[in-house]
Amino acid sequence: MPNLRKFYLRYLRRAAPTHFVLLSIVLAMSTTGYAYALFIYTPQAPNVDNSVSAVETSPDIELAKKVGKEIIAACPIVTDVKNLAAYNSCAQKLSQLKTLRDTMNAPFLWGAQSKVGNYNIKDSQTTQFDPFVWRRIYLATFMFKGEPQIEQVNNLTVIHLSTQFRNQFDIGAYPYPFWHSSKKWNSYQQSTELLLFIEQGKLKGALRSAVVDTQRPKVNHAWDGKWVWTDAQGK
């Protein structure tokens, strides 16, 4: 019986890290005077707070927070959306953000979210970009505010950035005539946030959110089908 008692002590020490609830102890006296103990236990659910803490401190979560904050700081919202100097400053800073540069996947995917709540980037129509080109001349057309909101969706870490598009430039200042499709142009002007996707330490791509604000000021451009033109100065 001393061996039995030692067995239970060893067992309880091993079981302790897995968390158990002691339901009952049944004692019976044998003719030898030893006490028998029957322990009935059931495993507890994992500590929820610990699980949340583990997620919040995961490498992708920390990376997402850093990338999001740096983008917002590089390109804050300015009152004058025609301000080309602010756009150029934003583009220059985005070009030099080391964390963003080192995190971006090549090629980098860019497009519009197919449906609200769908974070599978493969379900959205995207274009493959050189990472430098995208962050310097496409990402820079947006301004940002607030704090990045981070969401874990299956294996993806999603960065939500509240955004406003610079929609009042001369058409020649944009890298692409987005208005050749009114749907695309409105997506740029009315999307309320950008979604960036990190998986296993790499920024795979970004989407204009399908969540839109139809009350935002719109600028209408007519597409004339020309990719090259001559301005008033003959250039």
Side-chain angles (χ1 to χ4, degrees), residues 146-190:
E147 292 289 326
Q149 301 301 311
I150 312 300
E151 183 178 7
Q152 197 83 40
V153 183
N154 298 324
N155 295 326
L156 283 177
T157 299
V158 184
I159 310 173
H160 296 254
L161 299 179
S162 295
T163 186
Q164 181 179 334
F165 181 64
R166 306 177 200 266
N167 64 344
Q168 295 187 30
F169 290 158
D170 178 85
I171 60 173
Y174 294 102
Y176 178 84
F178 306 118
W179 48 91
H180 77 86
S181 162
S182 59
K183 181 179 179 181
K184 176 177 287 189
W185 181 231
N186 287 338
S187 168
Y188 273 85
Q189 296 188 91
Q190 297 179 337

Side-chain angles (χ1 to χ4, degrees), residues 52-215:
V52 171
S53 177
V55 170
E56 289 178 345
T57 57
S58 72
D60 280 0
I61 291 287
E62 292 304 312
L63 178 60
K65 290 178 181 178
K66 185 174 183 180
V67 168
K69 288 181 178 180
E70 288 185 353
I71 291 174
I72 293 169
C75 305
I77 288 180
V78 295
T79 304
D80 181 11
V81 294
K82 296 181 180 179
N83 190 331
L84 276 173
Y87 167 69
N88 291 331
S89 172
C90 165
Q92 182 66 19
K93 290 176 181 177
L94 291 176
S95 301
Q96 298 174 345
L97 288 182
K98 184 177 185 301
T99 303
L100 180 61
R101 180 196 68 197
D102 294 346
T103 303
M104 292 180 72
N105 194 59
F108 188 80
L109 301 179
W110 168 239
Q113 187 183 27
S114 62
K115 184 173 63 174
V116 175
N118 186 345
Y119 295 123
N120 187 347
I121 198 169
K122 294 180 180 179
D123 292 340
S124 300
Q125 186 173 357
T126 58
T127 302
Q128 294 184 351
F129 277 87
D130 173 86
F132 177 80
V133 171
W134 181 79
R135 68 179 183 270
R136 182 175 179 89
I137 66 175
Y138 278 78
L139 181 58
T141 60
F142 293 90
M143 302 176 287
F144 305 93
K145 64 180 180 179
E147 292 289 326
Q149 301 301 311
I150 312 300
E151 183 178 7
Q152 197 83 40
V153 183
N154 298 324
N155 295 326
L156 283 177
T157 299
V158 184
I159 310 173
H160 296 254
L161 299 179
S162 295
T163 186
Q164 181 179 334
F165 181 64
R166 306 177 200 266
N167 64 344
Q168 295 187 30
F169 290 158
D170 178 85
I171 60 173
Y174 294 102
Y176 178 84
F178 306 118
W179 48 91
H180 77 86
S181 162
S182 59
K183 181 179 179 181
K184 176 177 287 189
W185 181 231
N186 287 338
S187 168
Y188 273 85
Q189 296 188 91
Q190 297 179 337
S191 181
T192 60
E193 60 181 10
L194 292 191
L195 308 173
L196 292 84
F197 303 92
I198 291 180
E199 185 175 13
Q200 296 181 347
K202 297 299 292 184
L203 188 59
K204 302 288 188 177
L207 297 174
R208 301 181 299 278
S209 172
V211 179
V212 299
D213 178 5
T214 58
Q215 300 305 310

Side-chain angles (χ1 to χ4, degrees), residues 42-54:
T42 182
Q44 280 185 326
N47 186 302
V48 174
D49 291 337
N50 289 342
S51 297
V52 171
S53 177

